[in-house]
Amino acid sequence: MKLDVSSILITESQIQERIRELGAQISKDYEAGNLMLLCVLKGAIVFFADLIRCISIPLRCEFIQLASYNDGTEPSQIRAIQGLSGNLNHADVLIIEDIVDTGHTLNFLVDYVKRLKPESVKVCSLLDKPSRRQVSVTIDYVGFEIPNAFVVGYGLDYAQQYRNLPYIAILNPV
Ligand code: 5GP
């Protein structure tokens, strides 16, 4: 599969403008809190790196990596392959995701974090594909709602490629 330039869905400047808005909103909402941003590896890394620089209040950064495996049942099972090392006592955790599709990953993640007893848990996702949802999840901050298409770029991959694109593109077989 190859990318052609006409498949750009969200441009670099649209992304950067939206991230400045999200950063300002998060800074305001968590002014009196104890903000801890949790980056979901690997897809959210680019979004995470830009977003933290648009947040003007003190914050901590943590990272988690998930893997899904299919044991023949649907949907596939999800587990943390790199879990949280820090103490979540008193932390207002904001999960930073690249995209919410069926919702299974986020559902797992919110439960995982809640079990560590933080002060609060909320979610910020750059992209949301609501038409694909299978489980109901709450996304407190959404960058962009997108249609049902497979997208790459700005951290999102296809076979570990395309993460370095500064924009979001639809991956079309050509
Ligand atoms: P969910 O559990 O919500 O179905 O899926 C979440 C994960 O699936 C995302 O974190 C991402 O890794 C992957 N994913 C879902 N849709 C897309 C997409 O359009 N493009 C890419 N690159 N990954 C996707």
Side-chain angles (χ1 to χ4, degrees), residues 40 43 78 97-106 129 132-133 146 149-153 156-158:
V40 186
I78 301 164
E97 262 285 21
D98 52 356
I99 186 165
V100 181
D101 187 29
T102 63
H104 287 293
T105 305
L106 190 56
K129 254 197 255 181
R132 294 253 312 158
R133 204 72 90 243
I146 62 165
F150 192 84
V151 292
V152 294
L156 289 107
D157 77 308
Y158 171 71

Side-chain angles (χ1 to χ4, degrees), residues 21-149:
E21 291 172 358
L22 288 170
Q25 187 64 52
I26 291 165
S27 305
K28 200 164 152 239
D29 294 351
Y30 285 89
E31 211 167 2
N34 188 5
L35 181 58
M36 194 193 99
L37 264 70
L38 177 60
C39 176
V40 186
L41 298 171
K42 300 175 187 172
I45 50 165
V46 184
F47 176 42
F48 185 86
D50 282 346
L51 181 64
I52 58 172
R53 286 175 289 175
C54 290
I55 296 176
S56 55
I57 58 170
L59 58 84
R60 283 188 284 162
C61 298
E62 288 287 343
F63 300 85
I64 189 166
Q65 186 165 15
L66 307 177
S68 54
Y69 57 95
N70 203 320
D71 60 1
T73 58
E74 285 292 333
S76 51
Q77 301 293 305
I78 301 164
R79 67 194 164 98
I81 53 172
Q82 182 195 313
L84 274 169
S85 49
N87 184 342
L88 295 196
N89 281 350
H90 310 298
D92 291 302
V93 177
L94 184 58
I95 295 170
I96 308 298
E97 262 285 21
D98 52 356
I99 186 165
V100 181
D101 187 29
T102 63
H104 287 293
T105 305
L106 190 56
N107 200 34
F108 167 87
L109 205 48
V110 169
D111 277 358
Y112 177 98
V113 172
K114 277 186 177 164
R115 264 186 263 122
L116 299 171
K117 308 244 184 292
E119 189 69 27
S120 67
V121 186
K122 285 192 174 179
V123 176
C124 173
S125 183
L126 177 65
L127 304 175
D128 181 17
K129 254 197 255 181
S131 61
R132 294 253 312 158
R133 204 72 90 243
Q134 291 177 4
V135 289
S136 165
V137 286
T138 302
I139 313 173
D140 302 280
Y141 304 91
V142 178
F144 303 91
E145 260 191 27
I146 62 165
N148 182 12

Side-chain angles (χ1 to χ4, degrees), residues 1-3 150-167 171-172:
M1 281 203 241
K2 269 186 158 180
L3 267 188
F150 192 84
V151 292
V152 294
Y154 201 70
L156 289 107
D157 77 308
Y158 171 71
Q160 300 301 327
Q161 296 297 310
Y162 305 113
R163 294 192 198 275
N164 54 322
L165 297 176
Y167 49 79
L171 190 65
N172 289 316

